[in-house]
Amino acid sequence: MNIAVILAGGTGARIGGELPKQFLLVNHKTIMEYTIEAFEHHPEIDSIYIVCKQEYIDFVKNIVTTNQYSKIAGVIPGGRERYESSIAAIHAIKDCHSNILLHDCARPLVSKRIIHDCIEALKHHEAVSVAVKTTDTIYMSNEKNEIVMIPERSVLRNAQTPQCFRYPIIKKAYESAKSDLQFKPTDDCSVVMKYLPQTPIFIVEGETTNIKITYKEDIKFFEEMLQRKMD
């Protein structure tokens, strides 16, 4: 089975507003609805789990019920940090032979092609991530705000989601991390890289439109992309 996990536990503090950004309305639909539908309507996705903060469980369930989404297998509470939400989803999934696609709810423009390519890649790889080539020069700085290194741009990638794994791999990686008191992962791939370093992570080519909505300007871009689809 191919199981999508939509991570919707963010607060969206940088975008402002009373509600987290995934619940903001764009063209009469929440950002969350667009993200759910990218997987709901994909023929290769078998089921979907949504992870959100406890206080929004009923809110999300109402969205699911109203839209009559058929692939939702569960709406489950996440933790304070992103990795805690990933762990909650891993524990909720009982099919140890499944593929898991962990996706940021704030990336509603993930394409059908990206999802398909991730699923195809999992036929040959145990861990897969989505990324695009970096177009800007990247500086590495020190505590004095001075440039200390300029990495070669040709080998750099900007990470996107979904980040995808065969279930036993991501489960084992998080279990291996339990005893590490310095455990502070930035994403799911970093957990696999650190605790299962022998597991290669294959990169699927992303798209510049697969943005993570973070700032108000991103909402404008999202609206423009929706308008293009309608034209």
Side-chain angles (χ1 to χ4, degrees), residues 36-172:
I36 292 172
E37 287 166 13
F39 294 93
E40 171 77 16
H41 299 154
H42 199 288
E44 295 173 285
I45 295 296
D46 297 297
S47 62
I48 302 168
Y49 285 84
I50 303 170
V51 188
C52 64
K53 291 187 179 299
Q54 180 68 54
E55 56 265 38
Y56 292 109
I57 291 285
D58 290 340
F59 189 96
V60 173
K61 285 183 176 179
N62 184 60
I63 288 175
V64 171
T65 301
T66 300
N67 288 281
Q68 298 182 326
Y69 295 132
S70 62
K71 293 184 179 180
I72 306 300
V75 179
I76 57 180
R80 293 180 59 184
E81 303 293 337
R82 185 187 189 278
Y83 74 87
E84 293 174 324
S85 293
S86 294
I87 292 172
I90 292 165
H91 288 164
I93 295 169
K94 304 303 180 185
D95 184 354
C96 63
H97 301 293
S98 61
N99 294 324
I100 301 178
L101 290 76
L102 294 150
H103 186 69
D104 298 327
C105 189
R107 292 186 190 270
L109 289 169
V110 61
S111 70
K112 185 175 182 180
R113 193 276 303 168
I114 287 177
I115 296 170
H116 169 75
D117 285 359
C118 286
I119 292 170
E120 282 296 303
L122 283 171
K123 294 178 181 179
H124 309 285
H125 307 275
E126 294 179 306
V128 174
S129 189
V130 177
V132 292
K133 292 180 179 179
T134 299
T135 56
D136 295 323
T137 296
I138 303 297
Y139 293 154
M140 182 177 292
S141 62
N142 61 17
E143 65 280 357
K144 297 179 181 178
N145 211 31
E146 301 167 336
I147 297 173
V148 295
M149 183 185 294
I150 303 177
E152 174 57 45
R153 188 171 63 187
S154 64
V155 300
L156 298 177
R157 299 290 186 273
N158 292 336
Q160 299 183 343
T161 64
Q163 294 184 358
C164 316
F165 311 90
R166 296 181 189 175
Y167 180 86
I169 287 295
I170 192 63
K171 187 172 186 290
K172 183 179 180 181

Side-chain angles (χ1 to χ4, degrees), residues 184-199:
K184 291 183 179 179
T186 55
D187 66 1
D188 302 294
C189 283
S190 66
V191 180
V192 173
M193 279 199 69
K194 182 171 183 178
Y195 300 102
L196 297 178
Q198 73 281 9
T199 302

